[in-house]
Amino acid sequence: MNYPVDLKYSKSHEWVRYEDGVAVIGISDYAQDALGDVVFVNLPAVGDEVTAGESFGDVESVKAVSDLISPVSGVVLEVNEELEDSPENLNGDPYGAWIIKVEQVTDEEELLDAAAYEAHCAEEG
Amino acid sequence: MSELKRTPLYAVHVAAGATMVDFGGWEMPIQYPAGIVAEHLYDRKHCGIFDVSHMGRLVVEGPQRVEFLQKVLSSNVAALVPGRAQYCIIPTETGGAVDDAYLYMFEEDRYLLIVNASNTDKDLAHFARYLPDYDCTVTNITDTYSSIAVQGPEAEAILRVLSGGAEITGPRKNDLNELVMEGHTVRVSRTGYTGDPIGFELFIEADQVVWLWNRLVELGAAPTGLGARDTLRLEAGLPLYGHEMGQDRSGVEMPIFAVSLARFAVSFKEEKGDFVARDLLLAQKEQGTPKKVIPVALADRGVMRAGMDIYKDGVHVGWVTSGTMVPYYKFDEAGNILDATGKRSIGFAYVDSTVTMEDVLEIDVRGKRLKARPVAKHMDQTQPPYGRAVL
């Protein structure tokens, strides 16, 4: 399992990376592995407001659906439309396949660094 | 919680990196590292193998075995001849299903009945109510006799290596045979739960099943878990007890004839005589059922899941009983299979019988109404060796 050190992680398994004040958000390697084959991603629209700790969309694997929880509050600047046709990118490249970019960030969930997140995943088993 | 049961292949699954889950009291592989999508596709193009040793295997023998089975099963057991198998349903007294099952006649003087793993104990208790009236016995041999399903276009070629070139079974679905494969006695049926035009189920003594599994893998078959087993059967339009059969989501018994497959599983022939719920089932057949199970395909983007409500013109008409996104291979215009794949969102719905093929349905997918349409079938099984997606 891969936990890049340049990212912050939520306990609900999303990652965040800041680029010039914009929060780039995806799901972790642990999350994609637990989900199994991702077959559909329900994305928000550009301009939607997202709230830290609340759902901004969902990912469907063959087995089940899981909410995507926003690690930050703000406004959706961009969504990764490639995921509409190639949701499996979340499995193949979870840290390259970002899901949304959020601007005007006003709030942030309690986020973990890579080491703390890895420990959190180990606890979940 | 009681301890989970394990098949003789448990350690083989774990060693292969399978994700193990509780399935009806059994610790079974839901998927291997390849994943459900890859396993599904490999089965459709090559060959998938499935550990089905958890399913209940019951031997019915004794002088009145035929009379007993005619009473408790829906099919005409007397029509079965040695070397053949038949699909059947175990009816409740009220016209629903205790379980669905497959009856195999490998030998003249006994039957093998295979039932759903999670229903085995319930089925045995149900049979016990009728057995005192018949001079025969039902013996559970699940633990001593194991089973592997070998499905897909390359299944027959792989098995022919093991049989030394000998014919595996006759050409018809439900044909049976007994073979010696590299010194091991193996019983084979031309049956399966994937809808693949070519597929077999193998039976072997429990202490030899690991050998068989490993040989099949060596010959190019891919271990396939319960996840892909479910997507394959869904694509093939095969009902699953607990979803399309049994009790509905409110705990109300679903009539057997709500499932179209019942037409092939229930016999009213004079030869069969009276059986459990015969008159109720005849009425279901002749008058129809209030609701029916139909295959549906999602037209909008998204995924339907079991339990989601379905509307027609804003009126609630039923709900989804099974649903997910399944992968498929594309074919060229000449009918050749390609490497290109697609995905589609399909399922089964339990809806008012007034719903027709022309209707547009709306499925409530977590608050969003997505359009869906009834379809005749999800897959064409008539052009071997491949099952072809009907889009």
Side-chain angles (χ1 to χ4, degrees):
Chain A
M1 214 63 69
N2 185 12
Y3 306 91
V5 295
D6 58 327
L7 304 177
K8 297 283 189 189
Y9 302 85
S10 66
K11 286 184 175 172
S12 52
H13 306 291
E14 289 80 16
W15 57 258
V16 189
R17 181 180 67 232
Y18 282 97
E19 291 175 356
D20 301 327
V22 172
V24 183
I25 295 165
I27 61 168
S28 72
D29 194 14
Y30 178 92
Q32 71 77 22
D33 185 65
L35 285 166
D37 293 317
V38 176
V39 290
F40 185 73
V41 186
N42 203 354
L43 298 164
V46 171
D48 281 0
E49 285 188 22
V50 296
T51 306
E54 292 185 12
S55 169
F56 69 88
D58 47 64
V59 282
E60 303 258 12
S61 70
V62 179
K63 289 178 276 186
V65 58
S66 303
D67 279 325
L68 291 164
I69 306 297
S70 183
V72 302
S73 296
V75 176
V76 177
L77 171 69
E78 212 180 322
V79 302
N80 185 354
E81 287 173 357
E82 268 183 36
L83 294 175
E84 289 187 353
D85 291 323
S86 302
E88 63 275 9
N89 290 357
L90 290 178
N91 293 116
D93 184 15
Y95 299 113
W98 56 276
I99 299 172
I100 56 170
K101 295 185 180 181
V102 177
E103 62 178 351
Q104 301 171 42
V105 174
T106 56
D107 192 17
E108 191 179 74
E109 265 195 295
E110 184 198 345
L111 298 176
L112 309 172
D113 65 20
Y117 177 64
E118 187 171 353
H120 170 69
C121 292
E123 268 175 40
E124 290 202 352
Chain B
M1 198 182 99
S2 61
E3 201 167 306
L4 293 177
K5 294 189 280 267
R6 293 173 174 178
T7 76
L9 287 165
Y10 171 81
V12 177
H13 301 318
V14 171
T19 305
M20 306 299 287
V21 297
D22 175 1
F23 181 80
W26 291 79
E27 200 169 357
M28 297 297 291
I30 184 116
Q31 66 173 68
Y32 298 85
I36 294 172
V37 169
E39 290 168 25
H40 179 118
L41 290 170
Y42 195 87
D43 175 272
R44 288 285 185 240
K45 199 173 197 174
H46 303 284
C47 178
I49 52 171
F50 308 74
D51 179 10
V52 284
S53 302
H54 61 307
M55 297 191 77
R57 281 172 296 283
L58 312 176
V59 170
V60 183
E61 55 194 339
Q64 289 188 296
R65 62 191 179 281
V66 176
E67 292 83 349
F68 168 72
L69 289 171
Q70 290 286 43
K71 173 74 175 176
V72 298
L73 303 183
S74 63
S75 55
N76 181 13
V77 176
L80 202 58
V81 294
R84 294 284 297 162
Q86 66 183 198
Y87 177 67
C88 56
I89 293 167
I90 305 169
T92 65
E93 295 280 358
T94 44
V98 178
D99 201 356
D100 64 338
Y102 234 93
L103 186 67
Y104 302 78
M105 197 175 187
F106 282 104
E107 295 157 280
E108 187 81 53
D109 58 353
R110 72 185 59 161
Y111 293 91
L112 176 65
L113 183 70
I114 303 203
V115 300
N116 281 298
S118 56
N119 285 339
T120 307
D121 291 343
K122 183 182 72 171
D123 295 344
L124 286 168
H126 175 79
F127 291 155
R129 292 168 49 200
Y130 301 93
L131 272 171
D133 295 337
Y134 298 90
D135 184 9
C136 68
T137 59
V138 177
T139 311
N140 186 354
I141 60 161
T142 305
D143 291 340
T144 56
Y145 203 49
S146 294
S147 186
I148 298 172
V150 185
Q151 306 278 304
E154 293 169 5
E156 190 149 14
I158 286 173
L159 292 178
R160 284 218 182 215
V161 175
L162 294 177
S163 73
E167 181 185 75
I168 304 306
T169 68
R172 290 179 301 164
K173 183 176 158 63
N174 294 333
D175 277 344
L176 308 181
N177 199 11
E178 183 173 303
L179 290 162
V180 176
M181 292 184 166
E182 300 183 349
H184 304 259
T185 300
V186 181
R187 285 184 170 170
V188 189
S189 66
R190 191 180 281 272
T191 52
Y193 194 46
T194 58
D196 286 316
I198 299 170
F200 301 89
E201 289 171 305
L202 274 49
F203 305 95
I204 189 168
E205 294 295 330
D207 60 3
Q208 296 167 47
V209 72
V210 170
W211 165 81
L212 181 57
W213 181 272
N214 288 336
R215 281 296 285 140
L216 291 165
V217 172
E218 283 170 14
L219 293 170
T224 312
L226 292 171
R229 185 170 162 81
D230 192 49
T231 57
L232 289 161
R233 72 92 193 169
L234 188 61
E235 190 179 33
L238 297 169
L240 172 61
Y241 183 89
H243 289 257
E244 286 74 41
M245 212 177 271
Q247 293 182 333
D248 72 14
R249 68 172 190 186
S250 327
V252 176
E253 186 171 77
M254 299 166 77
I256 284 176
F257 274 88
V259 176
S260 62
L261 200 61
R263 295 197 310 275
F264 305 102
V266 185
S267 169
F268 299 103
K269 289 227 170 77
E270 203 179 319
E271 182 182 33
K272 179 163 173 66
D274 191 27
F275 60 98
V276 175
R278 181 187 185 280
D279 295 346
L280 290 170
L281 294 176
L282 189 58
Q284 288 177 16
K285 185 185 181 186
E286 289 176 348
Q287 294 155 30
T289 56
K291 288 178 119 67
K292 60 183 176 181
V293 174
I294 57 168
V296 287
L298 204 60
D300 289 333
R301 296 171 69 95
V303 183
M304 68 180 100
R305 302 284 182 185
M308 288 179 172
D309 285 302
I310 301 180
Y311 299 84
K312 184 183 101 175
D313 302 327
V315 179
H316 187 258
V317 290
W319 56 86
V320 177
T321 54
S322 295
T324 186
M325 189 85 92
V326 304
Y328 63 91
Y329 273 110
K330 295 178 179 175
F331 290 79
D332 68 18
E333 283 175 15
N336 300 306
I337 194 163
L338 302 172
D339 290 331
T341 62
K343 287 190 294 285
R344 55 194 176 135
S345 186
I346 60 171
F348 275 121
Y350 189 44
V351 292
D352 292 350
S353 291
T354 52
V355 170
T356 70
M357 293 294 291
E358 285 70 42
D359 284 329
V360 175
L361 303 174
E362 291 193 321
I363 302 181
D364 186 336
V365 178
R366 289 183 305 285
K368 270 191 217 166
R369 296 274 174 101
L370 302 185
K371 286 195 169 51
R373 55 189 169 83
V375 295
K377 57 185 174 182
H378 294 306
M379 194 173 82
D380 174 13
Q381 298 162 237
T382 63
Q383 298 180 70
Y386 303 111
R388 294 154 201 261
V390 176
L391 302 175

